[in-house]
Amino acid sequence: MSTTIKESASAATDRILSLTAQLKGSSNPADHQQKAKMAVPYKFQGWMGLDKDCADGKMVWQEYEPKTWTEDDVDIKIQYCGICGSDIHTLRSGWGPSLYPCCVGHEIAGTAVKVGENVKHIKVGDRVGVGAQSGACLDCEDCIEGRENYCTKMVGTYSGKYPDGSKSYGGYADYCRAPAHFAVKIPDGLKLAEAAPMLCGGVTVWNPLVNNGAGPGKRIGVVGLGGLGHFAVLWAKALGCDEVVVISRTNGKKVDAVRMGATKYIATEEDEGWHKKNARSLDLIVSTVSSPKMPLARYLQLLRPNGQFIQVGAPEDNIPAFNAFSLIAKGCKMGGSCIGTPADITEMLNFAVEKNIHPIIQERPLSNANQAIVEMDQGHARYRYVLVNEKHVEEARA
């Protein structure tokens, strides 16, 4: 990446630090915060988790204070927001203590209603989206080389903190404020409701596929056919992979898998000896499950020599142990992959338009978010729940 981009990123950081110093040095910082709050004619309000019990359908609708506005930000009038498993992990503090109160949701799609003066790629009225990341230093080696998703100062779209100390809030809400660097334009060829779950669920499996050679001549395995897994099947098929093999516990989703483009289906709890029958058959496996009880050692048996196993599902507990010779004996590799950058998301969205890819979603009213997260946790989604901010959708249609 060019030096010009590095200098631009540094300038953005300097502006944030300058604003922080201004607030700290003020005799009455609350005055600045109140002015920022009153500068827009809309309220920031959404479904708030107040403690770890909120994951049981106990979120509360209330107003909150968004991040302090800078001229590098964008405000989005939310029309749709996908429900991700990460939302539930966060609501119940499954990955560690969450910053309550929190408003989850990081598959945000809507319309830009306020755009900072320093933002060049978005204008008011554009269809935009924000995924799982809404902050990074933009000045470290990873950021400069286009790997913002691996920045050590990454800020999640919710339950995180920006350099000035203000918190990040997500998309189970009416509006979202985020640094515009992490907002992407949504192509006209995609419906906002379908684009929303791509912003996290889609790119989380897009990256390990395209970064590890998925395409013609390759045989791909997908562990788990849920929100992430169904995207992996759609992408792998559209990328031209020779085989797309779904690996699930039962045959309950076999018909759906074939309709999505799977060429083979393995039911690990119903197909006796599945790991032996299919040994050394796959070049790449993308695992989307987040169960610490998954039969990992048997999954590794499915890899061909020099095969790769990439884990994207994030269990709350450790993954199962396995014998090192599962990798050594075949020269295999095991790795992980974390979401995607704004550039990755843009590439993926354009690919979806080009290949006419449509995820399988179920729209749920934002007003019923509590019920939706409970049903999501129980495994009822087929294959991604998307919350609909009905009043904003109706306003857009008017």
Side-chain angles (χ1 to χ4, degrees), residues 174-205:
D174 282 341
Y175 292 88
C176 170
R177 174 173 293 170
H181 180 88
F182 295 96
V184 299
K185 292 184 67 173
I186 296 175
D188 291 337
L190 277 179
K191 294 180 179 179
L192 286 180
E194 295 183 341
M198 294 182 184
L199 299 171
C200 175
V203 78
T204 294
V205 291

PDB file of all heavy atoms in Angstrom, residues 174-205:
ATOM      1  N   ASP A 174     -32.117   1.823  15.642  1.00  0.00           N
ATOM      2  CA  ASP A 174     -32.611   2.699  14.580  1.00  0.00           C
ATOM      3  C   ASP A 174     -31.486   3.304  13.757  1.00  0.00           C
ATOM      4  O   ASP A 174     -31.605   3.479  12.541  1.00  0.00           O
ATOM      5  CB  ASP A 174     -33.464   3.824  15.184  1.00  0.00           C
ATOM      6  CG  ASP A 174     -34.866   3.372  15.558  1.00  0.00           C
ATOM      7  OD1 ASP A 174     -35.304   2.329  15.032  1.00  0.00           O
ATOM      8  OD2 ASP A 174     -35.517   4.047  16.372  1.00  0.00           O
ATOM      9  N   TYR A 175     -30.382   3.663  14.431  1.00  0.00           N
ATOM     10  CA  TYR A 175     -29.256   4.309  13.746  1.00  0.00           C
ATOM     11  C   TYR A 175     -27.947   3.726  14.253  1.00  0.00           C
ATOM     12  O   TYR A 175     -27.870   3.207  15.371  1.00  0.00           O
ATOM     13  CB  TYR A 175     -29.261   5.831  13.989  1.00  0.00           C
ATOM     14  CG  TYR A 175     -30.425   6.539  13.337  1.00  0.00           C
ATOM     15  CD1 TYR A 175     -31.646   6.674  14.005  1.00  0.00           C
ATOM     16  CD2 TYR A 175     -30.323   7.059  12.048  1.00  0.00           C
ATOM     17  CE1 TYR A 175     -32.737   7.303  13.407  1.00  0.00           C
ATOM     18  CE2 TYR A 175     -31.393   7.697  11.451  1.00  0.00           C
ATOM     19  CZ  TYR A 175     -32.601   7.807  12.123  1.00  0.00           C
ATOM     20  OH  TYR A 175     -33.664   8.427  11.520  1.00  0.00           O
ATOM     21  N   CYS A 176     -26.934   3.831  13.420  1.00  0.00           N
ATOM     22  CA  CYS A 176     -25.595   3.393  13.783  1.00  0.00           C
ATOM     23  C   CYS A 176     -24.603   4.483  13.399  1.00  0.00           C
ATOM     24  O   CYS A 176     -24.708   5.066  12.309  1.00  0.00           O
ATOM     25  CB  CYS A 176     -25.233   2.095  13.054  1.00  0.00           C
ATOM     26  SG  CYS A 176     -23.498   1.612  13.191  1.00  0.00           S
ATOM     27  N   ARG A 177     -23.664   4.769  14.275  1.00  0.00           N
ATOM     28  CA  ARG A 177     -22.569   5.694  13.957  1.00  0.00           C
ATOM     29  C   ARG A 177     -21.262   4.922  14.003  1.00  0.00           C
ATOM     30  O   ARG A 177     -20.965   4.233  14.980  1.00  0.00           O
ATOM     31  CB  ARG A 177     -22.520   6.853  14.956  1.00  0.00           C
ATOM     32  CG  ARG A 177     -21.318   7.787  14.768  1.00  0.00           C
ATOM     33  CD  ARG A 177     -21.402   8.998  15.670  1.00  0.00           C
ATOM     34  NE  ARG A 177     -22.522   9.846  15.253  1.00  0.00           N
ATOM     35  CZ  ARG A 177     -22.971  10.880  15.979  1.00  0.00           C
ATOM     36  NH1 ARG A 177     -22.420  11.157  17.154  1.00  0.00           N
ATOM     37  NH2 ARG A 177     -23.979  11.609  15.526  1.00  0.00           N
ATOM     38  N   ALA A 178     -20.471   5.055  12.949  1.00  0.00           N
ATOM     39  CA  ALA A 178     -19.218   4.325  12.869  1.00  0.00           C
ATOM     40  C   ALA A 178     -18.222   5.076  11.993  1.00  0.00           C
ATOM     41  O   ALA A 178     -18.618   5.888  11.146  1.00  0.00           O
ATOM     42  CB  ALA A 178     -19.454   2.931  12.282  1.00  0.00           C
ATOM     43  N   PRO A 179     -16.912   4.833  12.179  1.00  0.00           N
ATOM     44  CA  PRO A 179     -15.919   5.391  11.275  1.00  0.00           C
ATOM     45  C   PRO A 179     -16.206   4.938   9.841  1.00  0.00           C
ATOM     46  O   PRO A 179     -16.395   3.743   9.583  1.00  0.00           O
ATOM     47  CB  PRO A 179     -14.596   4.815  11.793  1.00  0.00           C
ATOM     48  CG  PRO A 179     -14.851   4.564  13.246  1.00  0.00           C
ATOM     49  CD  PRO A 179     -16.287   4.100  13.302  1.00  0.00           C
ATOM     50  N   ALA A 180     -16.229   5.891   8.917  1.00  0.00           N
ATOM     51  CA  ALA A 180     -16.622   5.588   7.536  1.00  0.00           C
ATOM     52  C   ALA A 180     -15.648   4.646   6.838  1.00  0.00           C
ATOM     53  O   ALA A 180     -16.008   4.011   5.850  1.00  0.00           O
ATOM     54  CB  ALA A 180     -16.765   6.878   6.739  1.00  0.00           C
ATOM     55  N   HIS A 181     -14.426   4.542   7.338  1.00  0.00           N
ATOM     56  CA  HIS A 181     -13.466   3.608   6.736  1.00  0.00           C
ATOM     57  C   HIS A 181     -14.025   2.195   6.716  1.00  0.00           C
ATOM     58  O   HIS A 181     -13.706   1.406   5.818  1.00  0.00           O
ATOM     59  CB  HIS A 181     -12.151   3.639   7.514  1.00  0.00           C
ATOM     60  CG  HIS A 181     -11.108   2.708   6.978  1.00  0.00           C
ATOM     61  ND1 HIS A 181     -10.223   3.073   5.983  1.00  0.00           N
ATOM     62  CD2 HIS A 181     -10.825   1.410   7.266  1.00  0.00           C
ATOM     63  CE1 HIS A 181      -9.433   2.052   5.695  1.00  0.00           C
ATOM     64  NE2 HIS A 181      -9.781   1.027   6.457  1.00  0.00           N
ATOM     65  N   PHE A 182     -14.874   1.882   7.703  1.00  0.00           N
ATOM     66  CA  PHE A 182     -15.407   0.527   7.812  1.00  0.00           C
ATOM     67  C   PHE A 182     -16.835   0.409   7.300  1.00  0.00           C
ATOM     68  O   PHE A 182     -17.501  -0.603   7.525  1.00  0.00           O
ATOM     69  CB  PHE A 182     -15.292   0.050   9.258  1.00  0.00           C
ATOM     70  CG  PHE A 182     -13.864  -0.093   9.696  1.00  0.00           C
ATOM     71  CD1 PHE A 182     -13.226   0.925  10.384  1.00  0.00           C
ATOM     72  CD2 PHE A 182     -13.126  -1.216   9.358  1.00  0.00           C
ATOM     73  CE1 PHE A 182     -11.900   0.822  10.756  1.00  0.00           C
ATOM     74  CE2 PHE A 182     -11.793  -1.334   9.715  1.00  0.00           C
ATOM     75  CZ  PHE A 182     -11.176  -0.314  10.414  1.00  0.00           C
ATOM     76  N   ALA A 183     -17.293   1.429   6.604  1.00  0.00           N
ATOM     77  CA  ALA A 183     -18.594   1.376   5.939  1.00  0.00           C
ATOM     78  C   ALA A 183     -18.364   1.166   4.450  1.00  0.00           C
ATOM     79  O   ALA A 183     -17.498   1.801   3.851  1.00  0.00           O
ATOM     80  CB  ALA A 183     -19.370   2.668   6.177  1.00  0.00           C
ATOM     81  N   VAL A 184     -19.110   0.257   3.849  1.00  0.00           N
ATOM     82  CA  VAL A 184     -18.951  -0.043   2.427  1.00  0.00           C
ATOM     83  C   VAL A 184     -20.244   0.275   1.688  1.00  0.00           C
ATOM     84  O   VAL A 184     -21.336   0.171   2.243  1.00  0.00           O
ATOM     85  CB  VAL A 184     -18.577  -1.525   2.201  1.00  0.00           C
ATOM     86  CG1 VAL A 184     -17.266  -1.863   2.870  1.00  0.00           C
ATOM     87  CG2 VAL A 184     -19.684  -2.455   2.697  1.00  0.00           C
ATOM     88  N   LYS A 185     -20.111   0.681   0.439  1.00  0.00           N
ATOM     89  CA  LYS A 185     -21.290   0.895  -0.397  1.00  0.00           C
ATOM     90  C   LYS A 185     -21.831  -0.458  -0.847  1.00  0.00           C
ATOM     91  O   LYS A 185     -21.076  -1.366  -1.195  1.00  0.00           O
ATOM     92  CB  LYS A 185     -20.937   1.763  -1.603  1.00  0.00           C
ATOM     93  CG  LYS A 185     -20.585   3.196  -1.242  1.00  0.00           C
ATOM     94  CD  LYS A 185     -20.330   4.053  -2.473  1.00  0.00           C
ATOM     95  CE  LYS A 185     -21.599   4.251  -3.283  1.00  0.00           C
ATOM     96  NZ  LYS A 185     -21.406   5.230  -4.391  1.00  0.00           N
ATOM     97  N   ILE A 186     -23.137  -0.578  -0.839  1.00  0.00           N
ATOM     98  CA  ILE A 186     -23.788  -1.820  -1.251  1.00  0.00           C
ATOM     99  C   ILE A 186     -24.246  -1.673  -2.701  1.00  0.00           C
ATOM    100  O   ILE A 186     -24.974  -0.737  -3.031  1.00  0.00           O
ATOM    101  CB  ILE A 186     -24.976  -2.140  -0.332  1.00  0.00           C
ATOM    102  CG1 ILE A 186     -24.460  -2.396   1.089  1.00  0.00           C
ATOM    103  CG2 ILE A 186     -25.757  -3.346  -0.846  1.00  0.00           C
ATOM    104  CD1 ILE A 186     -25.541  -2.615   2.118  1.00  0.00           C
ATOM    105  N   PRO A 187     -23.804  -2.566  -3.579  1.00  0.00           N
ATOM    106  CA  PRO A 187     -24.146  -2.460  -5.003  1.00  0.00           C
ATOM    107  C   PRO A 187     -25.656  -2.476  -5.234  1.00  0.00           C
ATOM    108  O   PRO A 187     -26.411  -3.125  -4.502  1.00  0.00           O
ATOM    109  CB  PRO A 187     -23.488  -3.701  -5.624  1.00  0.00           C
ATOM    110  CG  PRO A 187     -22.463  -4.140  -4.645  1.00  0.00           C
ATOM    111  CD  PRO A 187     -22.968  -3.746  -3.296  1.00  0.00           C
ATOM    112  N   ASP A 188     -26.077  -1.784  -6.264  1.00  0.00           N
ATOM    113  CA  ASP A 188     -27.500  -1.712  -6.585  1.00  0.00           C
ATOM    114  C   ASP A 188     -28.100  -3.077  -6.919  1.00  0.00           C
ATOM    115  O   ASP A 188     -29.292  -3.298  -6.756  1.00  0.00           O
ATOM    116  CB  ASP A 188     -27.735  -0.755  -7.761  1.00  0.00           C
ATOM    117  CG  ASP A 188     -27.471   0.698  -7.381  1.00  0.00           C
ATOM    118  OD1 ASP A 188     -27.548   1.012  -6.183  1.00  0.00           O
ATOM    119  OD2 ASP A 188     -27.182   1.497  -8.284  1.00  0.00           O
ATOM    120  N   GLY A 189     -27.261  -3.996  -7.371  1.00  0.00           N
ATOM    121  CA  GLY A 189     -27.763  -5.318  -7.745  1.00  0.00           C
ATOM    122  C   GLY A 189     -28.106  -6.218  -6.579  1.00  0.00           C
ATOM    123  O   GLY A 189     -28.560  -7.344  -6.789  1.00  0.00           O
ATOM    124  N   LEU A 190     -27.894  -5.756  -5.345  1.00  0.00           N
ATOM    125  CA  LEU A 190     -28.202  -6.554  -4.161  1.00  0.00           C
ATOM    126  C   LEU A 190     -29.318  -5.908  -3.350  1.00  0.00           C
ATOM    127  O   LEU A 190     -29.299  -4.700  -3.125  1.00  0.00           O
ATOM    128  CB  LEU A 190     -26.965  -6.673  -3.259  1.00  0.00           C
ATOM    129  CG  LEU A 190     -25.912  -7.736  -3.562  1.00  0.00           C
ATOM    130  CD1 LEU A 190     -24.793  -7.648  -2.550  1.00  0.00           C
ATOM    131  CD2 LEU A 190     -26.525  -9.127  -3.558  1.00  0.00           C
ATOM    132  N   LYS A 191     -30.242  -6.707  -2.894  1.00  0.00           N
ATOM    133  CA  LYS A 191     -31.232  -6.210  -1.948  1.00  0.00           C
ATOM    134  C   LYS A 191     -30.549  -5.997  -0.604  1.00  0.00           C
ATOM    135  O   LYS A 191     -29.680  -6.788  -0.199  1.00  0.00           O
ATOM    136  CB  LYS A 191     -32.375  -7.217  -1.790  1.00  0.00           C
ATOM    137  CG  LYS A 191     -33.214  -7.417  -3.045  1.00  0.00           C
ATOM    138  CD  LYS A 191     -34.319  -8.438  -2.791  1.00  0.00           C
ATOM    139  CE  LYS A 191     -35.178  -8.648  -4.021  1.00  0.00           C
ATOM    140  NZ  LYS A 191     -36.243  -9.666  -3.793  1.00  0.00           N
ATOM    141  N   LEU A 192     -30.931  -4.938   0.104  1.00  0.00           N
ATOM    142  CA  LEU A 192     -30.312  -4.662   1.397  1.00  0.00           C
ATOM    143  C   LEU A 192     -30.500  -5.815   2.371  1.00  0.00           C
ATOM    144  O   LEU A 192     -29.591  -6.144   3.136  1.00  0.00           O
ATOM    145  CB  LEU A 192     -30.885  -3.379   1.999  1.00  0.00           C
ATOM    146  CG  LEU A 192     -30.439  -2.052   1.380  1.00  0.00           C
ATOM    147  CD1 LEU A 192     -31.105  -0.895   2.106  1.00  0.00           C
ATOM    148  CD2 LEU A 192     -28.925  -1.902   1.449  1.00  0.00           C
ATOM    149  N   ALA A 193     -31.665  -6.439   2.339  1.00  0.00           N
ATOM    150  CA  ALA A 193     -31.935  -7.553   3.248  1.00  0.00           C
ATOM    151  C   ALA A 193     -30.990  -8.723   2.993  1.00  0.00           C
ATOM    152  O   ALA A 193     -30.600  -9.434   3.931  1.00  0.00           O
ATOM    153  CB  ALA A 193     -33.381  -8.008   3.112  1.00  0.00           C
ATOM    154  N   GLU A 194     -30.587  -8.937   1.747  1.00  0.00           N
ATOM    155  CA  GLU A 194     -29.679 -10.031   1.412  1.00  0.00           C
ATOM    156  C   GLU A 194     -28.231  -9.631   1.625  1.00  0.00           C
ATOM    157  O   GLU A 194     -27.384 -10.470   1.950  1.00  0.00           O
ATOM    158  CB  GLU A 194     -29.909 -10.467  -0.034  1.00  0.00           C
ATOM    159  CG  GLU A 194     -31.280 -11.075  -0.273  1.00  0.00           C
ATOM    160  CD  GLU A 194     -31.467 -11.574  -1.699  1.00  0.00           C
ATOM    161  OE1 GLU A 194     -30.696 -11.144  -2.590  1.00  0.00           O
ATOM    162  OE2 GLU A 194     -32.385 -12.378  -1.931  1.00  0.00           O
ATOM    163  N   ALA A 195     -27.927  -8.354   1.453  1.00  0.00           N
ATOM    164  CA  ALA A 195     -26.560  -7.883   1.658  1.00  0.00           C
ATOM    165  C   ALA A 195     -26.179  -7.911   3.130  1.00  0.00           C
ATOM    166  O   ALA A 195     -25.025  -8.184   3.477  1.00  0.00           O
ATOM    167  CB  ALA A 195     -26.403  -6.466   1.101  1.00  0.00           C
ATOM    168  N   ALA A 196     -27.152  -7.632   4.013  1.00  0.00           N
ATOM    169  CA  ALA A 196     -26.861  -7.522   5.443  1.00  0.00           C
ATOM    170  C   ALA A 196     -26.088  -8.726   5.985  1.00  0.00           C
ATOM    171  O   ALA A 196     -24.995  -8.562   6.553  1.00  0.00           O
ATOM    172  CB  ALA A 196     -28.147  -7.278   6.232  1.00  0.00           C
ATOM    173  N   PRO A 197     -26.574  -9.961   5.835  1.00  0.00           N
ATOM    174  CA  PRO A 197     -25.845 -11.089   6.427  1.00  0.00           C
ATOM    175  C   PRO A 197     -24.522 -11.404   5.740  1.00  0.00           C
ATOM    176  O   PRO A 197     -23.705 -12.140   6.287  1.00  0.00           O
ATOM    177  CB  PRO A 197     -26.831 -12.254   6.286  1.00  0.00           C
ATOM    178  CG  PRO A 197     -27.702 -11.876   5.143  1.00  0.00           C
ATOM    179  CD  PRO A 197     -27.848 -10.392   5.231  1.00  0.00           C
ATOM    180  N   MET A 198     -24.309 -10.840   4.566  1.00  0.00           N
ATOM    181  CA  MET A 198     -23.018 -11.028   3.906  1.00  0.00           C
ATOM    182  C   MET A 198     -21.904 -10.249   4.603  1.00  0.00           C
ATOM    183  O   MET A 198     -20.726 -10.603   4.503  1.00  0.00           O
ATOM    184  CB  MET A 198     -23.098 -10.589   2.440  1.00  0.00           C
ATOM    185  CG  MET A 198     -24.007 -11.425   1.568  1.00  0.00           C
ATOM    186  SD  MET A 198     -23.973 -10.860  -0.158  1.00  0.00           S
ATOM    187  CE  MET A 198     -25.205 -11.938  -0.897  1.00  0.00           C
ATOM    188  N   LEU A 199     -22.276  -9.174   5.323  1.00  0.00           N
ATOM    189  CA  LEU A 199     -21.289  -8.263   5.878  1.00  0.00           C
ATOM    190  C   LEU A 199     -20.452  -8.887   6.985  1.00  0.00           C
ATOM    191  O   LEU A 199     -19.360  -8.411   7.286  1.00  0.00           O
ATOM    192  CB  LEU A 199     -21.987  -7.001   6.388  1.00  0.00           C
ATOM    193  CG  LEU A 199     -22.734  -6.210   5.310  1.00  0.00           C
ATOM    194  CD1 LEU A 199     -23.579  -5.112   5.934  1.00  0.00           C
ATOM    195  CD2 LEU A 199     -21.760  -5.624   4.295  1.00  0.00           C
ATOM    196  N   CYS A 200     -20.972  -9.951   7.596  1.00  0.00           N
ATOM    197  CA  CYS A 200     -20.167 -10.727   8.545  1.00  0.00           C
ATOM    198  C   CYS A 200     -20.204 -12.198   8.161  1.00  0.00           C
ATOM    199  O   CYS A 200     -19.191 -12.787   7.839  1.00  0.00           O
ATOM    200  CB  CYS A 200     -20.647 -10.542   9.982  1.00  0.00           C
ATOM    201  SG  CYS A 200     -19.765 -11.613  11.156  1.00  0.00           S
ATOM    202  N   GLY A 201     -21.402 -12.793   8.183  1.00  0.00           N
ATOM    203  CA  GLY A 201     -21.514 -14.207   7.869  1.00  0.00           C
ATOM    204  C   GLY A 201     -20.914 -14.560   6.523  1.00  0.00           C
ATOM    205  O   GLY A 201     -20.186 -15.544   6.380  1.00  0.00           O
ATOM    206  N   GLY A 202     -21.208 -13.749   5.522  1.00  0.00           N
ATOM    207  CA  GLY A 202     -20.708 -14.027   4.181  1.00  0.00           C
ATOM    208  C   GLY A 202     -19.207 -13.913   4.062  1.00  0.00           C
ATOM    209  O   GLY A 202     -18.529 -14.814   3.555  1.00  0.00           O
ATOM    210  N   VAL A 203     -18.649 -12.807   4.561  1.00  0.00           N
ATOM    211  CA  VAL A 203     -17.210 -12.579   4.385  1.00  0.00           C
ATOM    212  C   VAL A 203     -16.385 -13.485   5.294  1.00  0.00           C
ATOM    213  O   VAL A 203     -15.222 -13.790   4.986  1.00  0.00           O
ATOM    214  CB  VAL A 203     -16.862 -11.096   4.627  1.00  0.00           C
ATOM    215  CG1 VAL A 203     -16.818 -10.748   6.100  1.00  0.00           C
ATOM    216  CG2 VAL A 203     -15.546 -10.722   3.936  1.00  0.00           C
ATOM    217  N   THR A 204     -16.963 -13.950   6.390  1.00  0.00           N
ATOM    218  CA  THR A 204     -16.228 -14.827   7.300  1.00  0.00           C
ATOM    219  C   THR A 204     -15.846 -16.139   6.627  1.00  0.00           C
ATOM    220  O   THR A 204     -14.809 -16.731   6.943  1.00  0.00           O
ATOM    221  CB  THR A 204     -17.064 -15.098   8.571  1.00  0.00           C
ATOM    222  OG1 THR A 204     -17.202 -13.869   9.297  1.00  0.00           O
ATOM    223  CG2 THR A 204     -16.407 -16.121   9.472  1.00  0.00           C
ATOM    224  N   VAL A 205     -16.662 -16.605   5.688  1.00  0.00           N
ATOM    225  CA  VAL A 205     -16.300 -17.827   4.952  1.00  0.00           C
ATOM    226  C   VAL A 205     -15.762 -17.515   3.553  1.00  0.00           C
ATOM    227  O   VAL A 205     -15.070 -18.346   2.943  1.00  0.00           O
ATOM    228  CB  VAL A 205     -17.493 -18.805   4.864  1.00  0.00           C
ATOM    229  CG1 VAL A 205     -17.793 -19.379   6.232  1.00  0.00           C
ATOM    230  CG2 VAL A 205     -18.730 -18.146   4.284  1.00  0.00           C
TER     231      VAL A 205
END
